[in-house]
Amino acid sequence: MDRSDMLQLQLQQQLSLAKSVRHRCNEWIFRDVPSDITIEVAGVTFSLHKFPLVSRSGRIRRLVAEHRDSDISKVELLNLPGGAESFELAAKFCYGINFEITAGNVAQLCCASDYLEMSEEFSKDNLGSRAEEYLERIVSKNLEMCVEVLQQCENLLPLADELKVVSRCIDAIASKACTEQIASSFSRLEYSSSGRLHMSKQATCDSDWWIEDISVLRIDLYERVITAMKCRGVRPESIGASLVNYAQRELTKKSSLWNPSGQTKVDFVTSSYGQEKLVVETIVSLFPVEKLAIPISFLFGLLRSAVMLDCSVACRLDLERRIGSQLDIATLDDLLIPSFKHSADTLFDVDTVHRILVNFSQQDDSEDNMEDASVFESDSPRSPSQSALFKVSKLVDNYLAEIAPDANLKLSKFMVIADSLPSHARTVHDGLYRAIDIYLKAHQGLSDLDKKKLCKLIDFQKLSQEAGAHAAQNERLPLQCMVQVLYFEQLRLRNALSNSCGDEDYKPSHQSWRISSGALSAAMSPRDNYASLRRENRELKLELARLRMRLNDLEKEHVCMRRDMQKSSSRKFMNSFSRKFGKMSFFGNSSSKGSSSPSKHSLRTDSKVIERTCTSAE
């Protein structure tokens, strides 16, 4: 339907309304007395009599008095609130004809009586006082009627607001909802088995029945109702449920985000976009400050709408901050936000996800600083924030694997997502390795330098046995990475063999290798991890000093052996060699209490050698 068709339809509706009003007017007007004044309202004419009108309406009395000399016979009332229907009711009241005041016409009567000056000053029990009485005694006691009056006020602004019809209905709705919620809370109180009073848990709250009622309001009036409820102390969960219900109702009622038919005119689409954009921005501004008052799936849906509708930056940043504060309960489908910009070169909106991850990391750091460490002292090895980190790390790895096949995804964007979490967030790097391998497979044109930068994100010591075996044979990885994988697999195999021996001397070596591999340190907080690394560094220096002393002793023994070999006979030499060989045994028990097993020295020496080899190769 184009603009001309819409205007023609509105004109037909006005003509039909005028005919019906004239027909109703002819039914109740005095036919035996000829009319002496014609009132025109919004294109509709009423043939009436001066005396009933001037006895009740101060405005009409003044107009007639001003034109007494010219004997005025026609008056046009411009911009009368409610149009011809409101004037018809006011004229009936002037003629003393009974009609029912309802929630559907009381707002019109209040505004029309103010416009026509039908107050107590001109007549007792005039229309204005009758409408005010109905509004105060009947409407304000019923929430559904208040909502109906507010719907009528949508076309009566700003006069209905000036007369405080809107504010009185809003206050009544907020007060009613708060009162019923308090009553419902008292009804849920019960005594436990120990005799203590507590509130029973219910999946739904019966006092939130008003959510559906207020969802029919226009967005500006709905915003004022929710603001009044928040000031009255309505529960954040109820406010959140109402916002979710209203947004789903408004954004799915007339979806103009896509126009596959192509028949809708541009101006209509633009107006629909503007209305939906206003709804999204208003809903976001009304969010409660409480963290879990809004479901995270709804937040992601609203964020998609905000990106699609090009909402304000403040609106999108607020959504991203809220999502980041509870990202640990999100799913992979939530994170897959399509890129709605036509100029975008990627399938998914990676920049938005990166900002969400930054918000999560900053929120996690701030909570760690504010929380007292003694609060979480328990048998659990991880604090709640660390548990959230581990969940988000798995989520990020799955997200990277999902976006990696995109041929247009730049390496810098992929790396900034992979490196957005702290190093201690991942205990196992299998998911990250899988995502990087998918990216290497989809982007075979990467240079060796880019491959090295990408693979530096992987800690090969944190790969599982299956992932390590796959990486050792993965030709897409740089040569240095394959060497590291093979070396760490050798360490793992040697450690497994040493554990199978059951020797107590190898237990310190096993624990030290776990710390150096990162499997144990990843389960610690950054501060504890740093202290552990410092202790390990001191132990390593001590072991190196002992190794140097042992090497010096071996060199002296070797010199003595050569001297004995030259001077002694064959039998004497064999006896001496047996004694020397017993002293050189690398698998003998150390006499020092604090010393470690020699296998531990060899492991760490090999580790330093392979690190120097990889560094020089790079």
Side-chain angles (χ1 to χ4, degrees):
M1 181 182 295
D2 57 11
R3 190 176 184 85
S4 59
D5 293 338
M6 293 178 63
L7 294 175
Q8 186 176 1
L9 179 61
Q10 292 177 359
L11 182 59
Q12 292 177 356
Q13 292 176 351
Q14 292 177 358
L15 292 176
S16 62
L17 177 62
K19 290 180 181 179
S20 63
V21 170
R22 289 194 189 97
H23 179 71
R24 292 197 305 267
C25 182
N26 292 329
E27 292 179 352
W28 57 264
I29 198 66
F30 299 148
R31 296 183 179 180
D32 53 347
V33 180
S35 61
D36 55 0
I37 188 172
T38 301
I39 307 296
E40 182 178 353
V41 180
V44 181
T45 57
F46 296 86
S47 298
L48 303 173
H49 306 84
K50 294 180 181 179
F51 178 75
L53 297 179
V54 299
S55 64
R56 294 281 189 175
S57 173
R59 188 184 189 95
I60 297 179
R61 179 184 300 183
R62 188 174 61 255
L63 291 174
V64 172
E66 291 175 355
H67 300 80
R68 181 176 299 176
D69 298 336
S70 61
D71 194 15
I72 184 172
S73 61
K74 184 175 182 180
V75 175
E76 183 179 3
L77 300 178
L78 301 175
N79 301 322
L80 189 147
E85 290 187 359
S86 296
F87 181 77
E88 181 186 2
L89 295 177
K92 282 185 177 182
F93 184 84
C94 293
Y95 277 85
I97 299 176
N98 293 328
F99 63 91
E100 184 181 3
I101 300 179
T102 64
N105 60 25
V106 65
Q108 295 178 352
L109 294 177
C110 287
C111 295
S113 62
D114 180 79
Y115 179 88
L116 296 172
E117 301 177 15
M118 300 177 68
S119 60
E120 296 296 309
E121 180 181 354
F122 301 97
S123 177
K124 186 178 180 181
D125 291 335
N126 212 340
L127 181 61
S129 59
R130 292 284 187 89
E132 288 288 337
E133 183 180 8
Y134 182 84
L135 191 66
E136 186 68 26
R137 293 188 177 183
I138 306 298
V139 175
S140 61
K141 302 296 189 299
N142 189 286
L143 189 145
E144 295 94 336
M145 296 181 71
C146 288
V147 173
E148 187 176 355
V149 172
L150 286 179
Q151 283 186 284
Q152 300 299 322
C153 290
E154 292 177 358
N155 300 321
L156 299 172
L157 296 175
L159 182 58
D161 210 357
E162 295 175 359
L163 298 175
K164 297 185 178 180
V165 177
V166 175
S167 59
R168 280 182 288 180
C169 290
I170 290 175
D171 291 340
I173 292 174
S175 178
K176 190 71 174 176
C178 185
T179 302
E180 294 197 6
Q181 195 169 82
I182 294 174
S184 176
S185 299
F186 278 114
S187 64
R188 293 166 59 191
L189 291 176
E190 60 183 20
Y191 287 96
S192 62
S193 57
S194 60
R196 293 185 176 181
L197 192 65
H198 68 96
M199 187 173 294
S200 62
K201 295 181 179 180
Q202 294 181 354
T204 57
C205 186
D206 297 335
S207 62
D208 293 345
W209 55 268
W210 48 265
I211 290 177
E212 284 292 336
D213 292 332
I214 67 173
S215 62
V216 299
L217 295 175
R218 201 170 64 185
I219 184 62
D220 54 343
L221 296 178
Y222 175 79
E223 178 183 10
R224 295 176 61 176
V225 170
I226 293 298
T227 303
M229 286 186 174
K230 292 168 72 175
C231 295
R232 288 296 184 104
V234 176
R235 281 195 298 264
E237 296 80 7
S238 302
I239 298 294
S242 177
L243 294 173
V244 172
N245 181 75
Y246 188 86
Q248 291 175 346
R249 180 188 180 97
E250 288 298 315
L251 297 179
T252 59
K253 181 172 57 178
K254 293 181 179 180
S255 180
S256 61
L257 299 178
W258 295 278
N259 184 26
S261 62
Q263 297 177 358
T264 307
K265 296 299 181 180
V266 177
D267 55 351
F268 181 73
V269 174
T270 303
S271 62
S272 300
Y273 263 82
Q275 177 65 22
E276 293 174 354
K277 179 179 178 180
L278 177 62
V279 170
V280 172
E281 293 178 351
T282 305
I283 292 295
V284 173
S285 66
L286 292 174
F287 279 159
V289 296
E290 285 73 12
K291 183 177 179 180
L292 299 177
I294 307 294
I296 191 170
S297 58
F298 173 74
L299 291 176
F300 272 105
L302 210 59
L303 179 60
R304 291 187 180 93
S305 300
V307 174
M308 189 186 309
L309 296 169
D310 195 22
C311 292
S312 63
V313 176
C315 172
R316 284 179 284 178
L317 291 180
D318 190 12
L319 283 169
E320 293 168 4
R321 180 183 58 82
R322 291 179 180 274
I323 292 174
S325 65
Q326 45 183 322
L327 188 60
D328 54 308
I329 60 176
T331 63
L332 177 59
D333 292 336
D334 293 332
L335 276 184
L336 295 176
I337 304 174
S339 182
F340 296 104
K341 296 180 180 179
H342 299 291
S343 60
D345 54 354
T346 56
L347 296 175
F348 299 102
D349 193 345
V350 182
D351 296 331
T352 298
V353 175
H354 176 244
R355 288 193 298 268
I356 292 174
L357 291 172
V358 171
N359 278 287
F360 170 77
S361 300
Q362 293 176 350
Q363 172 262 343
D364 181 67
D365 293 340
S366 61
E367 286 187 358
D368 287 344
N369 294 332
M370 293 174 61
E371 291 172 351
D372 187 4
S374 61
V375 175
F376 299 103
E377 287 182 358
S378 62
D379 296 333
S380 177
R382 301 185 180 98
S383 65
S385 60
Q386 289 173 331
S387 176
L389 271 176
F390 298 153
K391 292 178 182 178
V392 173
S393 66
K394 293 181 181 180
L395 180 64
V396 170
D397 292 343
N398 292 331
Y399 177 75
L400 289 171
E402 194 71 24
I403 66 174
D406 188 357
N408 295 325
L409 181 61
K410 297 180 180 179
L411 178 64
S412 58
K413 291 190 175 183
F414 184 87
M415 290 184 64
V416 77
I417 295 293
D419 199 29
S420 58
L421 297 178
S423 58
H424 63 278
R426 294 182 177 91
T427 55
V428 180
H429 276 220
D430 287 8
L432 181 61
Y433 165 71
R434 171 175 169 267
I436 290 178
D437 184 46
I438 295 175
Y439 187 86
L440 291 175
K441 187 184 299 184
H443 301 77
Q444 299 181 2
L446 287 179
S447 62
D448 293 339
L449 182 60
D450 290 338
K451 290 182 179 180
K452 291 178 182 179
K453 290 180 180 179
L454 184 59
C455 292
K456 281 183 178 180
L457 299 173
I458 306 175
D459 188 350
F460 293 100
Q461 300 180 77
K462 296 182 181 180
L463 293 180
S464 64
Q465 186 174 358
E466 294 78 8
H470 184 276
Q473 302 176 0
N474 193 349
E475 296 181 354
R476 288 183 289 272
L477 297 179
L479 180 60
Q480 293 83 355
C481 297
M482 298 179 67
V483 172
Q484 291 185 41
V485 173
L486 291 173
Y487 171 70
F488 292 129
E489 287 300 310
Q490 182 184 7
L491 283 183
R492 181 177 299 170
L493 179 60
R494 186 182 301 179
N495 184 69
L497 292 175
S498 64
N499 286 337
S500 63
C501 296
D503 194 345
E504 294 182 357
D505 291 339
Y506 294 104
K507 292 181 180 179
S509 173
H510 169 65
Q511 294 175 358
S512 177
W513 180 83
R514 284 189 65 196
I515 293 177
S516 63
S517 66
L520 184 61
S521 61
M524 302 178 181
S525 63
R527 184 177 301 176
D528 295 339
N529 197 2
Y530 178 69
S532 175
L533 291 176
R534 291 188 61 184
R535 288 194 300 271
E536 184 182 355
N537 192 23
R538 289 195 297 268
E539 292 176 1
L540 182 60
K541 290 180 180 180
L542 182 60
E543 293 297 332
L544 289 175
R546 290 172 179 169
L547 183 61
R548 291 193 188 97
M549 294 176 63
R550 183 61 177 164
L551 289 176
N552 291 333
D553 293 340
L554 291 176
E555 289 178 357
K556 292 180 182 179
E557 295 292 340
H558 182 64
V559 172
C560 295
M561 288 175 59
R562 294 185 62 183
R563 188 182 301 114
D564 291 342
M565 289 176 61
Q566 294 175 359
K567 294 182 179 180
S568 302
S569 60
S570 174
R571 185 183 181 110
K572 189 176 181 181
F573 165 73
M574 291 302 295
N575 293 334
S576 176
F577 181 80
S578 298
R579 291 193 301 270
K580 306 302 182 183
F581 186 79
K583 294 181 180 180
M584 290 178 59
S585 175
F586 278 90
F587 298 95
N589 292 332
S590 177
S591 59
S592 176
K593 183 178 180 180
S595 63
S596 305
S597 63
S599 63
K600 181 176 180 180
H601 301 318
S602 63
L603 288 175
R604 296 192 176 183
T605 305
D606 293 342
S607 177
K608 295 297 181 180
V609 171
I610 193 66
E611 288 179 3
R612 288 196 298 269
T613 303
C614 295
T615 303
S616 60
E618 291 179 356

